[in-house]
Amino acid sequence: MKNVEDTGLMDFLKVLPPVEFCCMYGSTLHPNNHDKSKMVDLILGVSDPQKWHEKNIQLNKDHYASWMVYFGGGKLVTEVADEIGVGVHFNPYVTWNKKMLKYGVVRMHDLIQDILYWKTFYLSGRLQKPVNILVDSLDVQQLNSVNLRSAVSAALLLLPPEFTEVDLYAKICSLSYMGDLRMLFAEDRDKVIKIVRGQFQLFQSMYQPSLEQYKAKELLQFSSPGSHQANIYQDCGLAATEFLVSSLPTTVRNTMGIKLGEKRSLSGSGGVTNQVLIRSRKEAVDCMQGALRRKVMVSSARQAVSGLLAVGGVKAAKYLASKMCKAWRSWR
């Protein structure tokens, strides 16, 4: 993550009710992006979404689907996001200062739960990729270091004994797309590699601390450090696999424990902990991959339905059409 003072977007935040967290994500972060017509994507964290939306409807009613404003206002917006979606309400196609914006509003508690535990693996997946933080009153950037370490552990489990730094970031990037229904028909098939190649240095700065920690534990070895062509070697033994699994978020480990069984062991502090029973690396990897795939599939499906309801028919059709056109171009 990298803090960036984007004065233009900070000015946009002034027309909204106050937020506790704001970051920009997506293709507009590409260093070579010169297409000013692309939609700028924002995530906004607030303490009470219903009150925030009620205030924002007073200030910016045109950001919302008219039916939601008419039939329920902030209460309905929040209920659709929480009960149908994964707790995020998006307002797309917001025009401001010659920019096209899309902003998603989430409860801070839900954002933090997803970062630490991959509860829905929705926003946590976005925060595993480069973002520009504009507002961070609760130090989400520091909390996200837990999310980044978990992402490295999951990616290493999916990688062979030898790989490149590009391979690593591509695997991290692909975690939140496994099982995503949009990847079947409404996303660029080359999306992952384009993200990594376009933002490689940003990935490096994000993940260098985690990689140094794993290197210090002798789980990783590097050749020609600093080069994106460098090879990385990892220990694929059972002890290393157990360590990587133990570094995954509790929701993933709990699912794996149900499937593979658990064993009780003493922690460093003298307490008793439950650990996933690892018989082979392949078995553990297959189980983790299945758990993540199901989590992403459910979250992406729920959010897709919620999004269609939230933005209304015209905007939903426009957004889906743009996504499908981009996907079809990548398949041709």
Side-chain angles (χ1 to χ4, degrees), residues 151-189:
V152 170
S153 294
L156 289 175
L157 285 167
L158 295 167
L159 286 165
E162 181 180 344
F163 52 91
T164 68
E165 202 172 352
V166 171
D167 294 333
L168 173 62
Y169 301 145
K171 189 62 68 176
I172 290 172
C173 191
S174 69
L175 293 175
S176 59
Y177 295 125
M178 292 193 303
D180 191 331
L181 299 176
R182 297 172 304 169
M183 297 302 290
L184 299 176
F185 64 92
E187 287 289 2
D188 186 341
R189 64 182 297 191

Side-chain angles (χ1 to χ4, degrees), residues 161-169 200 204 208 211 221-233:
E162 181 180 344
F163 52 91
T164 68
E165 202 172 352
V166 171
D167 294 333
L168 173 62
Y169 301 145
F200 180 77
Q204 276 190 316
Q208 200 60 40
L211 295 181
Q221 292 182 358
F222 295 80
S223 67
S224 304
S227 169
H228 69 278
Q229 298 297 333
N231 285 336
I232 303 176
Y233 306 88

Side-chain angles (χ1 to χ4, degrees), residues 31-48:
N32 297 320
N33 173 49
H34 303 296
D35 184 359
K36 302 307 178 184
S37 66
K38 281 190 175 182
M39 190 146 49
V40 177
D41 298 306
L42 300 171
I43 296 171
L44 310 180
V46 303
S47 58
D48 188 329

Side-chain angles (χ1 to χ4, degrees), residues 64-320:
Y64 295 82
S66 56
W67 79 271
M68 297 196 84
V69 173
Y70 181 79
F71 286 106
K75 185 173 187 294
L76 179 60
V77 169
T78 306
E79 286 178 348
V80 169
D82 289 344
E83 303 301 326
I84 298 176
V86 293
V88 189
H89 171 85
F90 282 99
N91 283 332
Y93 296 106
V94 174
T95 304
W96 184 83
N97 197 23
K98 298 181 181 180
K99 293 180 183 289
M100 189 71 74
L101 307 175
K102 179 183 74 174
Y103 63 89
V105 181
V106 62
R107 185 180 290 102
M108 283 301 300
H109 176 267
D110 294 344
L111 175 61
I112 291 170
Q113 290 288 303
D114 204 35
I115 286 172
L116 296 179
Y117 307 116
W118 293 5
K119 186 177 178 183
T120 64
F121 203 38
Y122 189 74
L123 293 182
S124 55
R126 279 160 172 72
L127 293 174
Q128 290 167 1
K129 306 171 187 70
V131 299
N132 285 349
I133 295 180
L134 304 175
V135 178
D136 192 9
S137 61
L138 297 183
D139 204 3
V140 170
Q141 181 173 5
Q142 180 61 36
L143 284 174
N144 197 53
S145 62
V146 177
N147 182 29
L148 301 185
R149 283 196 297 273
S150 297
V152 170
S153 294
L156 289 175
L157 285 167
L158 295 167
L159 286 165
E162 181 180 344
F163 52 91
T164 68
E165 202 172 352
V166 171
D167 294 333
L168 173 62
Y169 301 145
K171 189 62 68 176
I172 290 172
C173 191
S174 69
L175 293 175
S176 59
Y177 295 125
M178 292 193 303
D180 191 331
L181 299 176
R182 297 172 304 169
M183 297 302 290
L184 299 176
F185 64 92
E187 287 289 2
D188 186 341
R189 64 182 297 191
D190 301 317
K191 182 171 185 172
V192 168
I193 197 63
K194 285 179 180 178
I195 291 173
V196 173
R197 286 177 177 169
Q199 304 177 38
F200 180 77
Q201 291 183 330
L202 296 177
F203 273 100
Q204 276 190 316
S205 63
M206 284 178 68
Y207 284 99
Q208 200 60 40
S210 295
L211 295 181
E212 289 296 332
Q213 289 178 10
Y214 282 67
K215 181 181 178 181
K217 294 180 181 293
E218 299 185 349
L219 295 172
L220 298 177
Q221 292 182 358
F222 295 80
S223 67
S224 304
S227 169
H228 69 278
Q229 298 297 333
N231 285 336
I232 303 176
Y233 306 88
Q234 69 163 323
D235 181 356
C236 291
L238 208 57
T241 302
E242 289 178 344
F243 175 82
L244 293 176
V245 170
S246 71
S247 302
L248 296 173
T250 53
T251 59
V252 180
R253 284 189 279 113
N254 289 343
T255 300
M256 294 178 68
I258 292 171
K259 295 283 186 180
L260 302 179
E262 294 181 328
K263 61 180 180 180
R264 298 170 69 85
S265 61
L266 287 175
S267 66
S269 60
V272 178
T273 61
N274 291 330
Q275 292 185 325
V276 179
L277 187 59
I278 307 296
R279 300 177 186 84
S280 73
R281 187 178 180 91
K282 183 180 185 306
E283 183 182 51
V285 170
D286 289 345
C287 186
M288 180 201 70
Q289 196 167 20
L292 292 180
R293 193 181 300 277
R294 285 189 295 273
K295 191 179 286 286
V296 172
M297 186 178 296
V298 171
S299 293
S300 65
R302 288 180 59 184
Q303 190 60 34
V305 175
S306 171
L308 289 173
L309 291 172
V311 303
V314 175
K315 285 186 177 180
K318 182 179 179 182
Y319 184 71
L320 184 60

